Amino acid sequence: MTVDNDPTAHAEVSCIRAACRRLGTFCLSGCKIYTSCEPCPMCLGAIYWARLDGIYFANNRKDAAEAGFDDDFIYQELARPLAGRSVPIVSLLRDEALPVFRLWNEKTDKTEY
C-alpha cells in the first residue's frame, strides 16, 4: 500500500485481484482468505463482493489500531446516516440514473454478478 502510494492496495484486495486474474472469474466462492489482521471495511467489502467462503485472521482491529492502522473511524462512519458523515455524501440525479439499472435488468445477454 504505502510502497505503491495506493490506499486500496491492501493485501486482501491485492490477493483477491490476483486470484480473480489467475482463475479467470470474479466469483471466488469455494475459496478462503488467510490474513495477518482482521480485514478493514474496504477489504471486508471486497471479500463479500468476491463471495469468498471464509476469512481467517490473526491480529484483530484493536491490535491494528495499536500498531497505527486504526480503521475504527470507518466503522463508525458507516453506522452514521449519510448527512452525518465527515465526508459529504450527496445523492444526485437519481431519477435520471434509475433507467440505467432498468436497462441492465432487462438485458438478456449480461453476465450476472
Side-chain angles (χ1 to χ4, degrees), residues 44-101:
L44 188 59
I47 289 165
Y48 280 107
W49 280 111
R51 295 177 174 81
L52 288 159
D53 287 350
I55 305 166
Y56 298 87
F57 66 89
N59 295 298
N60 63 32
R61 278 189 248 183
K62 185 175 184 240
D63 302 326
E66 289 173 4
F69 299 100
D70 190 359
D71 300 319
D72 193 53
F73 75 97
I74 299 172
Y75 287 101
Q76 292 173 19
E77 283 284 301
L78 291 172
R80 292 185 176 118
L82 294 181
R85 295 187 182 172
S86 61
V87 175
I89 300 177
V90 180
S91 178
L92 296 174
L93 304 172
R94 180 175 180 260
D95 290 338
E96 290 81 359
L98 279 173
V100 176
F101 280 148

